[in-house]
Amino acid sequence: MRVHKLTLAAVAVAASFSLTACQNGEDGAGQSDPSSSSSPSSASSAPAASPSGGSDQGGGKASGATGSGGKGTTAGTGSSGSGKTEKCRTDELTITAVDATIGGDTDGTVAVTLKNRGGRNCSLSAYAGADLKTASGPLSAKRTGEQAGPSVLKAGKSVSFGINYPLNTSGGSGVRITGLVVTPPDETKSVTLAWPGAATLPVTEGGGSPVKVGPIGSAGQGG
């Protein structure tokens, strides 16, 4: 009878060990399932971030290049407009002429003055045009050939140039001068003035003009 009880007890213990082993196996499987399911989840989220970041940044760089190009154009436009002074216009100048002949000279001199009466500074290049009106027709003055670069004439300031011509010492009537036409440098509009010098030029034979004009500033500069 005691032997039978011991056998039943052994069977009960074996059954208990078997049940515990089964439970442990199920718990292990349950713990491994979540880790295996989280691995695919993180892998699937990685590809989604990569494409969106790459394409947005690329578009931002292209936009930045366009912007810097626009700044360059503005600066260029700005640098082509500043740094240069516009030329003096005839309508901005008061032009006068006076006799500047010095006693004892063999040639007569007329000084022509250009005053900037505009509200801005302007530039004058080397030579103005000077034409004498005579009884025999117009006579253009030739340049003396002196070198002179462009200069800036400030608002309210004046600059002068000289016209040299031969004095009529022949005793004859000569060629009568009736007026002076002045054209500022780089302009087409002229101003006609009364001639302040000697009344006549000597009669010359052959071609060429005996009248010469100096560059801007050749007769001194006024205030």
Side-chain angles (χ1 to χ4, degrees), residues 101-102 104-108 165-175 198-204:
T101 304
I102 298 174
D105 285 354
T106 57
D107 287 339
Y165 62 96
L167 295 173
N168 182 15
T169 58
S170 64
S173 59
V175 178
T200 61
L201 292 173
V203 177
T204 57

Side-chain angles (χ1 to χ4, degrees), residues 113-136:
T113 300
L114 293 78
K115 182 175 182 178
N116 182 358
R117 58 182 173 82
R120 65 180 181 90
N121 297 344
C122 59
S123 66
L124 292 168
S125 59
Y127 285 87
D131 298 275
L132 272 62
K133 297 173 73 174
T134 76
S136 301

Side-chain angles (χ1 to χ4, degrees), residues 10 17 26 48 88 215:
F17 278 116
E26 290 174 0
C88 297

